[in-house]
Amino acid sequence: MDELTCPQCQGTMAVRTFGHVSVRRCADCSGVFLSRADLGALIEAETDWHAFQSPNTATLPRITSDMDTPPVAPERTRAFVETLFKG
């Protein structure tokens, strides 16, 4: 891919690839650029991600004095697209 310059701030746009989708993100202003096909693929992936999420329906255990503190649950993302812009 050719290097792009951000149209808003003239910063360098770095390519991030997730699966088969490439997104360019400006290092300075965090603006993004992607093709129409990549946007469509992201929308489909987001829809699939939400379709397979389900609430935790397991029954809660009774709390007793001999129980240990439960482990900290890993942080869950709110959306598939959010994973593209972490780190």
Side-chain angles (χ1 to χ4, degrees):
M1 289 186 164
D2 297 331
E3 187 173 309
L4 287 182
T5 302
C6 178
Q8 181 172 330
C9 71
Q10 309 310 310
T12 302
M13 298 194 77
V15 177
R16 297 234 9 221
T17 302
F18 190 81
H20 60 280
V21 175
S22 294
V23 177
R24 295 170 191 257
R25 182 176 181 197
C26 178
D28 298 329
C29 72
S30 298
V32 294
F33 177 84
L34 63 156
S35 71
R36 180 178 287 183
D38 286 340
L39 177 59
L42 285 177
I43 291 170
E44 286 180 20
E46 184 74 19
T47 301
D48 291 345
W49 187 87
H50 283 286
F52 295 109
Q53 295 298 309
S54 63
N56 183 4
T57 57
T59 58
L60 295 174
R62 293 190 179 268
I63 298 173
T64 62
S65 60
D66 62 337
M67 295 178 95
D68 293 330
T69 304
V72 177
E75 184 180 327
R76 255 180 88 180
T77 58
R78 296 173 296 167
F80 170 76
V81 174
E82 185 177 291
T83 62
L84 289 174
F85 303 107
K86 282 194 172 190

